Amino acid sequence: MAENLEKVEEVEMTEEADKNRLKDRKFSWAKLRRLDSLNLEAGRLPFSSSKNTNSNVDWVTTLSLALQSVGVVYGDIGTSPLYVYSSTFPDGIGDQDNLIAILSLIIYSIVLIPFFKYAFVVLRANDNGEGGTFALYSLLCRHAKVSLIPNQQPEDRELSNYQLDTPSSQLKRANKIRGKIENSKLTKLVLFLVTILGTSMVIGDGVLTPSISVLSAVSGIHSLGKDAVVGISVVILILIFSAQRFGTDKVGYSFAPIICLWFALLSAIGLYNLFTYGWGVLRAFNPLYIVDYFKRRGKHGWVSLGGVVLCITGTEAMFADLGHFNVRAIQMSFSGIALPSLLIAYSGQAAYLTKHPNDVEDTFYKSVPDQMYWPTFVVAVAAAIIASQSMISGAFSIISQSLTLGCFPRVKIVHTSAKYEGQVYIPDINYVLMIACVIVTVGFRTTEKIGNAYGIAVVAVMMITTSMVTLIMLVIWKINILWIALFCVFFGAVEAIFLSSVLYKFVQGGYLPLAFSLVLMTIMGIWHYVHQRRYDYELENKVSNEYIKQLAEDPRINRVPGMGLLYSELVQGIPPIFPHFISSIPSIHSVLVFVSIKKLPISRIALDERFLFRQVEAREYRMFRCVVRYGYRDVMGTPEEFERQLVENMKEFIRHEHFIAEGGATEQATKQTTSPENPQSSTLLVNQGKEKGTSKSTVFVEESINQLNPPRVSSASTQSFDCIKSTNSSSRIISAPIQGAEEEMQFVQKAMDEGVIYLLGESEVVAKQNSSFIKKIIVDYVYNFLRKNFRQGEKVMVIPHTRLLRVGMTYEI
């Protein structure tokens, strides 16, 4: 009797649980229909997190990262004491107060720009832990529709790394500014040009940093003539670039100890000079010496700023290399190691120059005690090599990022580390940088002339960073307008003065980074322009649903075993290349997937969020559209790995597609109070928890991809509900398997086992007949020259040649 009562109670509890689940499902379907819930719900995904949040990193790890960052980040700024004074005083020091004023300028330049601006403001503007000019641009693209390619989707905002703020009344100013930016094509174009200008300048640093660092380090051998110094520098540079193919991780473990030793030597030598030659130079902490200097020197004082700015070279590396560390680690390493060492080093050199003003041309090595000379020389050369290595690696990383955002021609990218995906090597770019670096070293021969060129590149990138961070403050951070104005006006004015000074030496070498940037901007701009126009062409000429239906009913079209993957950049429909495949080969694989590789302006995308699916009507055609999303730091795996991930995610999509179809029908049968609106959703989040278990797994499935004429659903919000497995028959709706889903999944798996064929369209892009002469030159000659002389699409997308089928088509843009 007691057992029967327990069974009755268990049945009643199960029925009550089923009712509650149905209510929860009704509430979830109601949420699904609310368009305005997207931004609120997208920011509260259960797996939302930033990979570099300081709160998730303990102090031991942070200290370890801070130590490691010394070797990667500060090689460039750490070697600046080798050449700053010689570049600032090319004609001698003159009055001793000039020396005190220059030291004061150096002190406050380091404190204000690297310390205050970068360490405590700019580092906050990271893109999920990634830094650099492209990270700022991608951050703006995510919060405002400023991208020139119209391939943004509401689904992209639901990524765990693609979080937006909760709407509130405080967004009024930000929304107004964002609206003006989004509605202005000129503003979008200017923002893009500024981004690629900053990128080009950083790539140019990959040429100038090795030249000036190695040349200044080798010049410490006094007995050698200028020709021998240049020759040895060229040999070292060639060795540095030749070693790039081995990857920085092979020797990276030694970077931090060497740079730490270098900073220790700088501090020791600086303290030695202060004790030996007097502490009077510390008067430079009084900024009134700066005011008096400009009053006395006038134009000459303004021109000398071109040498002073070299003390902050490498500051941008604090932001650009942020992806390997975190904000707190960079702040700690700069505040605790780099900043005090640099201030002591420059003060010590100034103390030495007060007694030996004629040694200004070779200040650093002249100020080193005799017994420390050769150890210092060896460490200086090693530090210069590390500084060069960091900037070269940074140039590779920047090009890799610009490539994924469609802003650079395809090049071969080799990932040199299995542990750090950000460490890449680009052979073609490496040899171009090496040749340019050797030409600069042989052509300029002195650090003074190279410094003139270097200063322009450094200050230009800083000004671009200031302008973009100001925009981020307005649109994203939404802080007090007075703080924004203070940041923009103060740092903008300081950097503008520095820029005007370095531009004064334009004909003395300052033209070099501008020439580099002009060439790179031309290549990047032309490639991105044609890439954008080509995408617009595909969007305007995409295949209609009626064509697909007619095609499926055509008896002349055969269905052959296997799976076909048709690649296209179009994410909003079926590409126009598809009819050309059919006209050339009148057959379709038993399972056909239209694959679009989409690069998003975020650093990385979790694997369970990468694949988005939609089934092309009708279901029996077994045609799918799939968008595979990558961040600019993500790495494409092998073809076998990609196929396995795609099929597994497709089977999950099929299972939940059947679940949604049956679940929606059951809900309407349970209670007819809900209006039959079309659900405005494209995303399904399912948390499946095992009974009496603690572990959970999250499945991210795409139901539809936004297009102009969707046959069933469109994208706008998120549905979330819990599926609890049960053996009770009353919960048959929720428990798997769903009838028909297993058969479909088995069919897809069988098609994959029978073989996967890659279908790739070879599109020839030409300008229309009525286009202008300039456009014909850009599209027909320059773009096609770049396309034919750089890597082809199948190599970039890791498509195996043995399973590749091509069909050509001409796009007139």
Side-chain angles (χ1 to χ4, degrees), residues 245-498:
R245 58 194 177 93
F246 298 110
T248 56
D249 63 315
K250 302 295 189 300
V251 291
Y253 66 90
S254 64
F255 282 8
I258 291 174
I259 298 298
C260 284
L261 178 60
W262 172 248
F263 279 127
L265 284 173
L266 287 179
S267 301
I269 295 168
L271 289 172
Y272 169 83
N273 287 322
L274 286 170
F275 277 105
T276 304
Y277 301 106
W279 298 82
V281 293
L282 297 185
R283 294 173 294 163
F285 280 91
N286 183 354
L288 291 178
Y289 280 96
I290 299 174
V291 178
D292 181 62
Y293 176 71
F294 285 119
K295 285 181 179 179
R296 287 185 295 102
R297 297 278 290 170
K299 179 181 176 181
H300 294 288
W302 168 69
V303 172
S304 66
L305 290 175
V308 173
V309 76
L310 297 179
C311 73
I312 53 176
T313 59
T315 299
E316 190 68 24
M318 294 172 62
F319 186 43
D321 294 329
L322 180 62
H324 294 295
F325 312 102
N326 62 34
V327 173
R328 186 173 292 158
I330 298 293
Q331 291 173 340
M332 291 175 60
S333 60
F334 184 78
S335 304
I337 298 176
L339 178 63
S341 299
L342 291 170
L343 294 182
I344 293 172
Y346 285 116
S347 299
Q349 290 184 27
Y352 174 84
L353 290 174
T354 57
K355 305 298 183 182
H356 306 86
N358 294 329
D359 291 343
V360 69
E361 188 177 350
D362 189 20
T363 304
F364 177 77
Y365 284 111
K366 292 286 187 181
S367 66
V368 176
D370 292 340
Q371 61 270 27
M372 291 294 296
Y373 183 85
W374 286 110
T376 303
F377 172 78
V378 173
V379 177
V381 173
I385 291 173
I386 291 172
S388 305
Q389 169 70 41
S390 299
M391 289 309 300
I392 295 167
S393 300
F396 292 157
S397 180
I398 288 272
I399 292 173
S400 177
Q401 293 176 19
S402 60
L403 177 68
T404 58
L405 295 179
C407 299
F408 202 86
R410 299 184 181 112
V411 290
K412 181 181 180 180
I413 297 179
V414 179
H415 294 268
T416 58
S417 172
K419 185 177 180 181
Y420 301 106
E421 294 179 354
Q423 294 184 2
V424 296
Y425 165 65
I426 306 176
D428 300 334
I429 302 300
N430 183 63
Y431 294 121
V432 171
L433 291 178
M434 182 182 71
I435 293 170
C437 205
V438 170
I439 292 174
V440 168
T441 305
V442 174
F444 285 86
R445 301 176 66 83
T446 65
T447 57
E448 178 191 346
K449 292 181 179 178
I450 298 176
N452 296 336
Y454 198 17
I456 291 181
V458 170
V459 182
V461 174
M462 288 181 178
M463 288 196 70
I464 290 170
T465 300
T466 299
S467 61
M468 296 185 77
V469 170
T470 301
L471 195 56
I472 287 172
M473 287 178 171
L474 289 167
V475 176
I476 303 173
W477 293 354
K478 298 173 283 293
I479 61 177
N480 191 298
I481 192 68
L482 293 178
W483 289 112
I484 298 174
L486 180 63
F487 173 84
C488 180
V489 173
F490 180 78
F491 287 108
V494 170
E495 290 161 2
I497 293 171
F498 275 130

Side-chain angles (χ1 to χ4, degrees), residues 43 86 214 221 223 302 306 335 353 438 507 536 544 579 586 654 675:
S86 61
V214 173
I221 307 178
S223 58
W302 168 69
S335 304
L353 290 174
V438 170
V507 296
D536 291 340
S544 66
I654 292 171
S675 60

